[in-house]
Amino acid sequence: MTYEVHHMIDGKIVEGKSGRFGDIYNPSVGEVAGKVALASKSEVEEAIAVAEAAFPEWSATSVVTRSRIIARFKELLYEHMDELAELVSKEHGKVFSDAKGSVQRGIEVVEFACGIPHALKGEFSDNVASGIDVYSMRKPLGVCAGISPFNFPAMIPLWMAPMAIACGNTFVMKPSEKDPSCPMRIAELFKEAGLPDGVLNVVNGDKEAVDTLLTDPRVKAVSFVGSTPIAQYVYATATAHGKRCQAMGGAKNHMIVMPDADLDLVSDALVGAAYGSAGERCMAISVAVAVGNVGDELAKMLKPRVEALKIGPSMDPASEMGPLVTREHLNKVKGYVDLAVEEGAELLVDGRAFKDYKQGYENGFFMGGCLIDKVTPDMKSYKDEIFGPTLQIIRADDFESAAALPTKHEYGNGTSIFTQNGRAAREYADKVEVGMVGINVPIPVPVSFYTFGGWKNSAFGDHNTMGMAAVNFYTRTKTVTSRWPTVATGAEFDIPTLK
Ligand code: NAD
């Protein structure tokens, strides 16, 4: 029994008319579980038209009313947390407890959005010159669009739509076609919370839907999260069409392990950060940089732990790591492990030939964790993002040469340093050319009231996401200079200056 996922336009589930469908897998089982409608240009245009029509009333709705709807939405998300996490887990393949954590991280953005009356406050200066007051306001942009990746089908749509909508915009969401059920359910809950029809629309689809959102003049801003080549394309296309655009891309996150670090703490942190969610996290640690002589000891400690990872169906509470999202992605990750071996790295744990399938899950997209030692910076398997359950170990003679690695890498999303030396940690956080840094914290995803964003090829555009960066992205300022004179004083031909 397979299911179908369509679109939500103007508050209603609308059947796809394009006749095109994508497959939705249950990666634990390895079979097609459902079909997702892939929207045509005209279907996306219909959603944009609906969002444009809803904008005048929604943007004029008081900010307190908007925040109350968001607060009700937040309550519904908590009430439906298990249901949402199950949808994530079944279509993505990450284990249920991790899926629940990702829903929680999304809800935290909604909690921030509840405070939108405070965040939208403008500035006011009275009497900047005699009898002249100046104030600024934050105004919404109009129709905004969101395009999200497969790996966080709850959290990333929740980074986007609630903040845009709280700011007074209307929204068209285009989730990943690989796991669309959770974002559709989230949109239904938003409607149940009292969001007027047309304010949030969800179109499912592929490149055709994305290209329509990037080029339609009625869309004023595009938020994108996904791989770097597509982020670059989305940024170039959206901005060429006059839109504001934030586009987050891929990653290769390094953890610097200093000689004074507690290796028990480090191996706990690395096993979770490299193999959690099967490494399909943009903040996963995929490279451990062993400084000085810690490399051999670290590799020795990690090897049995990687071999002992409990790998199984995503909804099995005993599983620590589930399958990869699709067979195609599984083969891509295995191909990178082959490449690392060809390039001369030492494969300490080979998860490619995984055999420990649970009964009934023999076709699942599983692989074991891979631990790859003696990696060097010239290897392609080091330069590229692998996005799977692989951890590469690089040796560095000293702190300086270790710290240079993430700085020189094309990606700059997240990094961490494990040390007991405060001076080294401070220096690292200060100098490293990476957007998010953890000190003895393996996955430094900022909390929702800070901003999230990488550097270099991990993000395109001037605006980060979350926190006040999201408020800045989804609003434009208007500055008003006012005075109420009582008598005419004659024309002034010189530019007015402060007196
Ligand atoms: P992806 O780039 O393949 O897809 C992302 C979105 O773009 C999807 O909605 C997809 O439908 C659309 N898309 C795909 N190909 C397209 C094309 N040719 N033209 C137009 N649109 C297209 O990414 P993914 O595989 O879904 O997600 C994994 C990637 O996302 C990884 O690289 C990961 O690092 C990255 N990611 C980054 C962050 C971050 O915050 N920096 C967060 C999560 C994931």
Side-chain angles (χ1 to χ4, degrees):
M1 266 277 286
T2 58
Y3 54 89
E4 288 187 359
V5 180
H6 291 268
H7 316 297
M8 182 164 169
I9 300 175
D10 207 11
K12 290 158 214 70
I13 301 296
V14 176
E15 290 228 349
K17 298 193 242 347
S18 71
R20 292 195 307 124
F21 286 89
D23 288 332
I24 307 168
Y25 287 91
N26 177 334
S28 299
V29 181
E31 283 168 8
V32 173
K35 296 266 175 207
V36 57
L38 302 176
S40 64
K41 186 171 196 285
S42 62
E43 288 171 294
V44 179
E45 284 171 345
E46 185 191 332
I48 296 170
V50 163
E52 191 186 39
F55 178 69
E57 196 171 327
W58 180 246
S59 56
T61 300
S62 84
V63 69
V64 173
T65 301
R66 297 202 303 254
S67 121
R68 286 182 184 147
I69 292 172
I70 306 274
R72 174 77 188 118
F73 175 50
K74 181 197 75 173
E75 292 306 316
L76 287 173
L77 290 171
Y78 273 120
E79 281 168 33
H80 292 266
M81 196 163 183
D82 283 2
E83 178 196 349
L84 294 170
E86 190 171 332
L87 292 174
V88 172
S89 181
K90 281 190 170 156
E91 292 185 352
H92 174 283
K94 64 178 79 184
V95 299
F96 177 72
S97 52
D98 183 38
K100 217 167 151 171
S102 75
V103 176
Q104 172 66 38
R105 291 303 297 252
I107 295 176
E108 287 166 14
V109 178
V110 182
E111 284 168 345
F112 179 79
C114 291
I116 202 69
H118 179 72
L120 284 183
K121 282 192 302 194
E123 304 157 309
F124 187 92
S125 301
D126 73 322
N127 218 27
V128 294
S130 180
I132 295 183
D133 302 330
V134 178
Y135 59 97
S136 67
M137 298 181 274
R138 290 177 183 272
K139 293 289 192 186
L141 308 173
V143 179
C144 299
I147 301 154
S148 56
F150 79 82
N151 67 324
F152 282 109
M155 184 180 85
I156 293 180
L158 288 173
W159 282 357
M160 298 172 176
M163 289 303 299
I165 286 169
C167 289
N169 301 285
T170 55
F171 208 78
V172 180
M173 183 74 221
K174 204 302 285 173
S176 169
E177 63 276 38
K178 296 194 175 94
D179 43 18
S181 293
C182 182
M184 283 294 278
R185 188 70 189 114
I186 285 173
E188 287 174 357
L189 293 177
F190 223 152
K191 177 182 163 80
E192 198 180 320
L195 190 71
D197 291 347
V199 175
L200 172 61
N201 307 278
V202 182
V203 286
N204 285 300
D206 54 7
K207 183 169 169 53
E208 182 170 343
V210 171
D211 285 346
T212 309
L213 292 170
L214 300 182
T215 53
D216 192 296
R218 294 167 295 181
V219 174
K220 302 301 177 206
V222 175
S223 300
F224 173 88
V225 179
S227 60
T228 287
I230 310 298
Q232 213 157 6
Y233 165 75
V234 164
Y235 184 72
T237 312
T239 53
H241 286 80
K243 300 178 201 318
R244 194 174 277 197
C245 183
Q246 51 179 188
M248 307 293 155
K252 191 88 180 188
N253 305 318
H254 297 61
M255 180 196 284
I256 309 294
V257 182
M258 293 293 283
D260 65 354
D262 175 335
L263 291 188
D264 286 319
L265 269 180
V266 169
S267 35
D268 277 353
L270 277 174
V271 169
Y275 303 99
S277 195
E280 293 168 323
R281 287 182 186 140
C282 66
M283 292 292 276
I285 294 288
S286 46
V287 180
V289 186
V291 182
N293 58 5
V294 292
D296 288 347
E297 182 62 17
L298 182 64
K300 203 170 109 195
M301 288 174 79
L302 285 171
K303 189 170 183 288
R305 299 192 61 166
V306 180
E307 286 166 340
L309 284 171
K310 293 189 189 113
I311 298 163
S314 63
M315 289 300 291
D316 181 344
S319 305
E320 293 170 335
M321 188 177 110
L324 278 85
V325 67
T326 56
R327 183 163 304 283
E328 189 190 0
H329 187 58
L330 173 71
N331 290 337
K332 180 178 156 195
V333 173
K334 285 183 184 173
Y336 268 114
V337 181
D338 297 344
L339 175 66
V341 174
E342 281 162 30
E343 290 178 316
E346 193 179 322
L347 190 56
L348 298 181
V349 183
D350 184 358
R352 289 173 296 180
F354 178 80
K355 290 199 181 63
D356 193 16
Y357 296 98
K358 302 282 176 291
Q359 204 186 348
Y361 297 92
E362 294 81 358
N363 293 323
F365 308 139
F366 295 98
M367 68 180 281
C370 293
L371 184 62
I372 310 168
D373 199 2
K374 312 274 167 67
V375 172
T376 53
D378 55 312
M379 293 180 180
K380 183 169 162 53
S381 62
Y382 166 75
K383 291 179 184 159
D384 289 4
E385 178 182 45
I386 300 178
F387 217 57
T390 61
L391 177 66
Q392 294 174 296
I393 302 176
I394 284 202
R395 316 295 180 102
D397 290 339
D398 50 31
F399 169 72
E400 285 71 26
S401 48
L405 289 167
T407 288
K408 284 188 192 147
H409 204 283
E410 73 162 297
Y411 295 115
N413 211 40
T415 184
S416 72
I417 180 166
F418 271 63
T419 182
Q420 298 183 39
N421 180 336
R423 190 196 50 75
R426 187 177 186 281
E427 163 108 3
Y428 187 66
D430 184 40
K431 299 274 165 47
V432 69
E433 292 195 20
V434 173
M436 293 170 280
V437 181
I439 298 174
N440 298 319
V441 169
I443 304 187
V445 176
V447 292
S448 65
F449 34 98
Y450 277 73
T451 82
F452 181 106
W455 284 17
K456 301 179 288 184
N457 277 352
S458 290
F460 302 87
D462 300 335
H463 293 271
N464 276 358
T465 188
M466 297 204 314
M468 284 309 290
V471 176
N472 291 336
F473 182 74
Y474 291 122
T475 57
R476 49 188 168 172
T477 53
K478 184 179 280 186
T479 309
V480 180
T481 305
S482 81
R483 69 173 174 151
W484 301 91
T486 47
V487 285
T489 51
E492 280 189 28
F493 293 97
D494 299 336
I495 186 165
T497 54
L498 294 180
K499 295 184 188 83

